[in-house]
């Protein structure tokens, strides 16, 4: 048997050069953003270039130049190549190839076939290995392949994720080459041997064996433990095992150590390392270091820079220095410190939003002890809703309140999955169901959306000076009736965390934040009353609440049997959030510093945004999916919430076209700064003085209740001050944004099924 003339290169040199060229190519691709995003990242870290699964939300003007050019022919060609993808699960093939190649060359060596002789004759001259070394190297490579194959079969999960076809080809070729690299430097020994098995002798272990073999076994055990742990994690969970506290990808570091140990064990007599295996180590280190770098970037975007940036990417110091900063900050305080607040940040240019379904009542002073006296806890028997923390990209940070009811779930959807927002926390407050139920609902919604790493807090269980009221006729006894698809929360609320103190910590730590409140305003009122510096610090406050009436807009306000027309949704005069704690609302609107930064989203605006039957079908199936095909679990969940909400609104208020989605519009206020087409109409800066009727008690008796909770507006006494109250918006674009966020949830959950937060099967 003959082989083609290899010229001045031998097989050993060809393998070495191939490993080094592959490593150089990976580093080159990762250094150019246009190539890195297309060809280097994959799984849940990848960004689809030509996504056709649904419309993308319009990009804010600050994202693109005024005359953004179309893609050049070269970019179009790159995009075309990028779309040549294979299933991410094909990583399994690497280890199948590794095992088969080990068996193939084992048979060739034992049988001394003509193929083996030809390869050995063209392997090149140089120092050689002993037969004991060759047997050990072959055995360990076979064991490595078998272990990784078993892990892939036993720990792997089905997924819709993809990887570029070149990744798959490169991985297959690597294991083909590696099956030769482990013995090629012992070619002369194999040529001299007539019976390889007989030439294996039992001798005292050499120093290289005493060093390399324990290193191999230790690294293999650590890597297996890492893979087993990562496979056990729920979706979107930041690894919290002690070994992950210092490194983002310790299993990648273990992989490098495995190949380092093979290089030591395969060192020829008189050499420290096996040169061919060393070049393989260079390729593995470069490939996994780049992957670890993108994993760290993805972690920081998903879980917050402060939770991840202090961690090394792979091997301590070296890979922190080569692929990132080696000046590592100290680890952050654990969750629960400083009020238990843990906040995530996506973009340094963007704004942070604290989502809180609370009412800000301004009569408390003195500090955190006064806050704790008002903040109820589970078991009080009071009714509560939720709040959360969020940040829009490209703008000042904001803080927002979100309740754990049907429309609140949509607000959290936008906050957690819009590309220009970041949800950084959730708190609960009295409202539609008991504190225990709404807090549980908060955790369930976060889990359903794949963002259960976001901390949430139990807030105020009742108004500051009234008894709590609730609305089971609208949201059901649980506060989220109408579906059985809500998962059990993966993570409970922050134990001992004070919601008001957490809001203060979050807001004061960030420049120009916003606060968005979508429920009773107790938490927010306590925040401004206890920590008045927050009112001066924030950039804006968005409140879903109130009802103006008297033709403020032409939105259908509905009617209740026997009452006729009305503009309130709890009483003929009052919207529920303001009615729950009118004193808290009044304290906010009467605070000049806070009022001028406040945008109020009343029923007069939210009742223009009805989830009609056509909207429900679109959100359930997506715009590019035929009705009748199965919807994703998260779309089915949100559809069931909408259907329940629609039935109750039709039964109670006679609005049969579809239910209004109130709370997501409080998030849309934030987005309107980047989406001029959203056209949040405030009549070119129209402002109002707002007051709240506080006379009357919570009662079913009209005389006792009076008009308590009614929001009354009048022109401001001074120009440029007062509350902003929009009268309209681009409803179609709003639904486009909601649909785009649902699409992003589908994509992120789908990619997470296989990717499992850096549980990629490394080469």
């Amino acid at each position: 048997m003959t082989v083609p003339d290899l010229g001045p290169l031998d097989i050993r040199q060809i393998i070495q050069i191939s490993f080094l060229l592959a490593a150089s190519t990976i580093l080159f691709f990762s250094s150019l953003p246009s190539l890195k995003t297309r060809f280097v990242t994959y799984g849940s870290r990848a960004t689809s270039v030509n996504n056709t699964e649904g419309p993308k939300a319009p990009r804010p003007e600050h994202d693109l130049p005024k005359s953004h050019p179309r893609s050049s022919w070269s970019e179009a060609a790159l995009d075309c190549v990028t779309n040549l993808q294979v299933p991410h699960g094909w990583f399994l093939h690497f280890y199948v190839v590794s095992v088969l190649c080990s068996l193939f060359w084992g048979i060739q060596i034992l049988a001394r076939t003509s193929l083996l002789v030809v390869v050995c004759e063209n392997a090149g001259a140089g120092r050689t290995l002993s037969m004991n070394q060759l047997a050990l190297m072959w055995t360990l490579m076979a064991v490595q392949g078998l272990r990784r194959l078993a892990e892939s079969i036993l720990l792997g999960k089905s997924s819709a994720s993809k990887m570029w076809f070149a990744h798959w080809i490169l991985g297959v070729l690597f294991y083909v080459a590696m099956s030769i690299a482990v013995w090629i430097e012992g070619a002369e020994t194999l040529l001299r041997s007539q019976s390889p098995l007989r030439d294996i002798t039992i001798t005292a272990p050499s120093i290289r064996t005493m060093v390399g073999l324990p290193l191999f076994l230790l690294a293999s055990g650590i890597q297996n433990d890492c893979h087993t742990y990562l496979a056990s994690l729920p979706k979107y969970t930041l690894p919290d095992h002690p070994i992950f506290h210092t490194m983002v990808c310790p299993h990648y570091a273990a992989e490098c150590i495995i190949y380092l140990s093979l290089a030591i064990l395969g060192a020829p007599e008189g050499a420290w390392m096996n040169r061919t295996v060393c070049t393989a180590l260079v390729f593995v280190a470069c490939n996994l270091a780049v992957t670890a770098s993108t994993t760290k970037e993805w972690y920081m975007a998903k879980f917050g820079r402060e939770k991840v940036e202090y961690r090394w990417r792979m091997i301590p110091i070296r890979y922190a220095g080569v692929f990132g900063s080696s000046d590592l900050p100290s680890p952050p305080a654990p969750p629960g410190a400083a009020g238990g607040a843990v906040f995530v940040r996506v973009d340094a240019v963007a704004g942070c939003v604290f989502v809180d379904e609370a009412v800000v009542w301004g009569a408390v002073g003195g500090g955190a002890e006064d806050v704790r006296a008002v903040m109820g806890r589970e078991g009080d028997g009071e009714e509560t809703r939720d709040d959360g923390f969020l940040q829009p990209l490209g703008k000042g940070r904001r803080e927002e309140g979100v309740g754990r009811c049907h429309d609140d779930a949509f607000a959290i959807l936008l906050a957690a999955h819009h590309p220009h927002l970041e949800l950084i926390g959730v708190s609960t407050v009295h409202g539609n169901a008991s504190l225990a139920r709404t807090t549980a609902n908060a955790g369930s919604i976060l889990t359903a959306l794949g963002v259960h790493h976001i901390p949430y807090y139990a807030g105020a269980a009742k108004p500051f000076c009234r008894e709590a009221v609730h609305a089971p006729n609208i949201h059901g006894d649980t506060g989220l009736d109408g579906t059985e698809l809500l998962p059990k929360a993966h993570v409970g609320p922050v134990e001992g965390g004070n919601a008001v103190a957490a809001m203060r910590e979050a807001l004061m730590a960030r420049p120009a934040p916003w606060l968005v409140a979508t429920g009773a305003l107790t938490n927010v009122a306590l925040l401004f009353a206890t920590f008045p510096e927050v009112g001066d610090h924030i950039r804006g406050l968005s409140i879903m609440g109130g009802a103006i009436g008297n033709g403020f807009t032409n939105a259908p306000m509905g009617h209740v049997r026997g009452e006729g027309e009305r503009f309130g949704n709890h009483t003929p005069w009052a919207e529920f959030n303001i009615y729950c704690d009118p004193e808290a609302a009044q304290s906010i609107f009467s605070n000049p510093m806070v009022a001028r930064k406040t945008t109020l989203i009343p029923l007069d605006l939210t009742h223009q945004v009805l989830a009609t039957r056509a909207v429900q079908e679109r959100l359930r199936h997506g715009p590019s999916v035929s009705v009748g095909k199965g919807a994703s679990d998260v779309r089915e969940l949100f559809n069931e919430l909408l259907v329940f909400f629609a039935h109750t609104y039709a039964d109670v208020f006679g609005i049969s076209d579809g239910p209004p989605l109130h709370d997501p519009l409080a998030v849309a206020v934030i987005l309107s700064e980047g989406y001029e087409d959203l056209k949040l109409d405030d009549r070119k800066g129209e402002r109002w003085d707002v007051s709240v009727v506080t006379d009357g008690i919570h009662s079913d008796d009209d005389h006792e209740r009076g008009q308590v909770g009614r929001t009354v507006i009048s022109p401001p006494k001074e120009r440029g001050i007062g509350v902003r109250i929009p009268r309209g918006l681009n409803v179609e674009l709003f639904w486009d944004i909601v649909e785009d966020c649902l699409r992003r949830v589908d994509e992120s959950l789908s990619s997470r099924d296989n990717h499992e937060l850096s549980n990629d099967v490394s080469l």
Side-chain angles (χ1 to χ4, degrees):
M1 183 175 182
T2 60
V3 295
D5 183 13
L6 302 177
L9 298 178
D10 54 49
I11 293 177
R12 190 183 327 192
Q13 292 170 331
I14 290 175
I15 293 175
Q16 294 171 0
I17 292 172
S18 298
F19 283 142
L20 296 177
L21 282 176
S24 301
T25 302
I26 289 173
L27 294 178
F28 174 73
F29 273 46
S30 66
S31 67
L32 300 178
S34 62
L35 297 180
K36 179 180 179 180
T37 56
R38 287 179 170 90
F39 304 124
V40 176
T41 57
Y42 55 90
S44 60
R45 294 182 297 259
T47 301
S48 176
V49 178
N50 289 329
N51 193 313
T52 59
E53 297 179 6
K56 295 186 181 228
R59 295 183 66 179
E61 285 195 4
H62 58 70
D63 278 8
L64 294 173
K66 291 296 182 182
S67 57
H68 181 63
R70 294 183 177 273
S71 298
S72 65
W73 67 267
S74 59
E75 290 177 323
L78 289 174
D79 293 344
C80 183
V81 175
T82 303
N83 288 330
L84 300 175
Q85 297 187 334
V86 298
H88 193 264
W90 281 19
F91 263 105
L92 177 71
H93 297 175
F94 299 161
Y95 311 118
V96 172
V97 169
S98 178
V99 172
L100 291 179
C101 285
S102 292
L103 289 175
F104 175 80
W105 288 112
I107 294 171
Q108 299 299 308
I109 291 172
L110 291 176
R112 283 187 52 82
T113 64
S114 58
L115 174 61
L116 177 73
V117 173
V118 170
V119 172
C120 289
E121 288 176 346
N122 290 274
R127 295 170 178 173
T128 189
L129 310 183
S130 69
M131 190 59 71
N132 283 7
Q133 283 181 287
L134 288 171
L136 182 60
M137 293 284 284
W138 179 90
T139 301
L140 293 182
M141 191 63 202
V143 168
Q144 168 76 351
L146 285 169
R147 177 180 65 82
R148 297 303 301 275
L149 179 60
E151 289 176 352
S152 297
I153 294 172
L154 298 176
L155 304 179
K157 299 178 181 179
S158 60
S159 168
S161 295
K162 303 287 187 180
M163 63 176 167
W164 189 37
F165 80 101
H167 290 161
W168 177 75
I169 293 175
L170 187 62
V172 169
L173 292 177
F174 169 79
Y175 282 104
V176 170
M178 194 63 208
S179 68
I180 302 173
V182 292
W183 58 263
I184 194 66
E185 294 202 23
E188 292 184 16
T189 299
L190 291 174
L191 284 174
R192 291 196 302 264
S193 175
Q194 298 301 313
S195 179
L197 283 179
R198 292 179 182 176
D199 291 341
I200 298 174
T201 59
I202 299 176
T203 61
S206 64
I207 294 177
R208 69 168 65 89
T209 302
M210 289 190 291
V211 172
L213 186 57
L215 200 60
F216 178 91
L217 297 175
L218 177 63
S220 298
I222 291 174
Q223 188 179 63
N224 177 257
D225 288 344
C226 290
H227 287 161
T228 303
Y229 169 73
L230 288 171
S232 71
L233 291 177
K235 292 179 178 180
Y236 291 103
T237 302
L238 183 66
D240 195 40
H241 189 282
I243 197 172
F244 286 88
H245 289 175
T246 55
M247 280 185 281
V248 172
C249 298
H251 47 311
Y252 289 177
E255 184 88 354
C256 293
I257 294 173
I258 287 171
Y259 286 96
L260 174 64
S261 68
L262 291 175
I264 294 172
L265 290 168
E269 190 65 33
W272 287 95
M273 295 282 182
N274 183 302
R275 185 175 299 179
T276 305
V277 178
C278 275
T279 59
L281 172 61
V282 171
F283 166 76
V284 170
C286 291
N287 176 56
L288 295 185
V290 168
T291 305
S293 181
T294 59
T295 298
K296 183 172 182 178
E297 293 169 5
W298 189 77
Y299 272 13
M300 288 192 292
K302 199 68 183 173
F303 303 112
R305 178 174 296 274
E306 65 276 15
K307 289 184 179 181
V308 180
E309 66 178 348
Y310 69 92
R311 305 186 190 195
W312 291 304
R313 286 160 175 78
M314 234 171 66
I315 298 175
I317 302 301
R318 179 169 302 278
Y319 288 104
V322 174
F323 296 98
S325 173
S326 58
D327 298 322
L328 303 176
S330 300
V342 182
F343 306 103
V344 183
R345 177 175 178 175
V346 166
D347 191 318
V349 183
C352 285
V353 183
F354 191 111
V355 179
D356 178 272
E357 236 188 22
V359 181
V360 187
W361 196 78
V364 180
E369 292 303 321
D370 295 311
V371 177
R372 296 189 187 98
V374 180
M375 302 293 284
R377 285 295 177 262
E378 183 174 336
D380 292 346
E382 302 295 352
E383 305 300 321
T384 66
R385 297 176 72 186
D386 309 338
D387 323 278
F389 322 74
L390 138 77
Q391 164 163 342
L393 305 188
K395 297 294 174 183
R397 294 187 176 87
R398 299 158 169 82
E399 182 151 345
E400 133 181 15
V402 171
R404 271 304 65 68
C405 301
H406 295 73
D407 55 329
D408 298 323
F410 281 86
I412 291 180
L413 166 70
L414 265 62
H417 285 282
H418 192 279
H420 299 291
L421 298 175
E422 181 196 11
L423 184 63
I424 59 175
V426 173
S427 60
T428 60
V429 72
H430 62 90
N432 295 298
S434 71
L435 183 59
R437 284 175 172 172
T438 56
T439 304
N441 288 343
S444 293
I445 288 293
L446 292 172
T447 297
L449 292 174
V451 290
H452 58 265
H453 59 279
I454 294 171
Y456 58 105
Y457 302 79
K462 62 181 181 179
F464 187 66
C465 58
R466 294 174 182 264
E467 294 300 316
V469 293
H470 52 97
N473 59 324
I474 300 297
H475 298 283
D477 292 333
T478 68
L480 269 178
D481 278 8
T483 183
E484 295 182 356
L485 295 177
L486 273 177
K488 183 179 179 181
H490 284 313
V491 181
V494 176
E495 294 294 333
N498 183 288
V500 172
M503 285 193 287
R504 192 265 178 195
E505 291 294 325
L507 293 169
M508 297 304 294
R510 293 160 168 81
W514 274 68
L515 168 64
V516 181
T518 62
L521 295 171
T522 311
N523 289 347
V524 180
L526 289 171
L527 171 69
F528 291 133
T530 310
F531 305 110
E533 68 274 14
V534 176
D536 183 63
H537 180 70
I538 63 171
R539 176 173 178 173
L541 167 66
S542 173
I543 297 173
M544 190 281 118
I548 310 303
N550 300 317
F552 189 72
T553 70
N554 60 0
M557 304 305 289
H559 61 272
V560 176
R561 293 182 184 89
E563 289 187 3
E565 296 295 330
R566 58 188 290 139
F567 53 83
N569 67 353
H570 191 70
T571 75
W573 310 97
E575 181 273 333
F576 182 74
N577 289 345
I578 304 299
Y579 177 85
C580 283
D581 197 342
E583 286 80 12
Q586 177 61 21
S587 74
I588 293 173
F589 298 135
S590 62
N591 183 328
M593 176 63 70
V594 175
R596 69 165 57 101
K597 299 179 180 182
T598 298
T599 299
L600 182 66
I601 307 297
L603 299 181
D604 311 73
L605 177 62
T606 66
H607 278 229
Q608 298 176 42
V609 185
L610 303 181
T612 64
R613 182 63 181 171
V615 168
Q616 292 175 37
E617 289 297 330
R618 178 188 178 191
L619 297 184
R620 183 183 184 188
H621 298 286
S624 60
V625 180
S626 300
V627 174
K629 290 188 177 181
S632 67
D633 288 345
V634 71
R635 286 181 181 269
E636 200 65 61
L637 166 63
F638 276 81
N639 177 70
E640 290 184 0
L641 294 177
L642 268 183
V643 169
F644 179 86
F645 204 26
H647 288 162
T648 58
Y649 246 83
D651 293 343
V652 176
F653 298 112
I655 298 179
S656 57
D657 291 340
L661 282 193
H662 309 291
D663 295 342
L665 293 179
V667 180
V669 169
I670 305 169
L671 295 174
S672 65
E673 295 192 5
Y675 286 88
E676 291 188 2
D677 290 341
L678 196 57
K679 296 178 180 176
L680 205 60
D681 180 17
D682 62 359
R683 303 290 174 88
K684 297 183 178 181
E686 186 178 52
R687 296 280 176 161
W688 301 92
D689 283 342
V690 180
S691 61
V692 179
V693 176
T694 56
D695 293 335
I697 63 174
H698 289 163
S699 172
D700 292 332
D701 183 271
D702 291 343
H703 179 72
E704 292 180 342
R705 186 180 63 230
Q707 296 185 15
V708 65
R710 179 179 181 178
T711 48
V712 180
I713 66 170
S714 59
K717 298 180 179 63
E718 298 180 30
R719 183 178 179 85
I721 66 171
V723 175
R724 178 193 186 203
I725 309 178
R727 297 177 185 247
L729 80 162
N730 184 334
V731 176
E732 185 62 29
L733 179 55
F734 171 79
W735 290 123
D736 286 345
I737 292 171
V738 174
E739 158 56 32
D740 183 67
C741 290
L742 281 171
R743 176 182 63 80
R744 292 175 185 275
V745 177
D746 284 342
E747 290 179 352
S748 64
L749 293 181
S750 174
S751 65
R752 180 63 181 93
D753 286 340
N754 255 337
H755 203 58
E756 289 303 325
L757 291 176
S758 189
N759 191 23
D760 308 296
V761 186
S762 50
L763 294 181

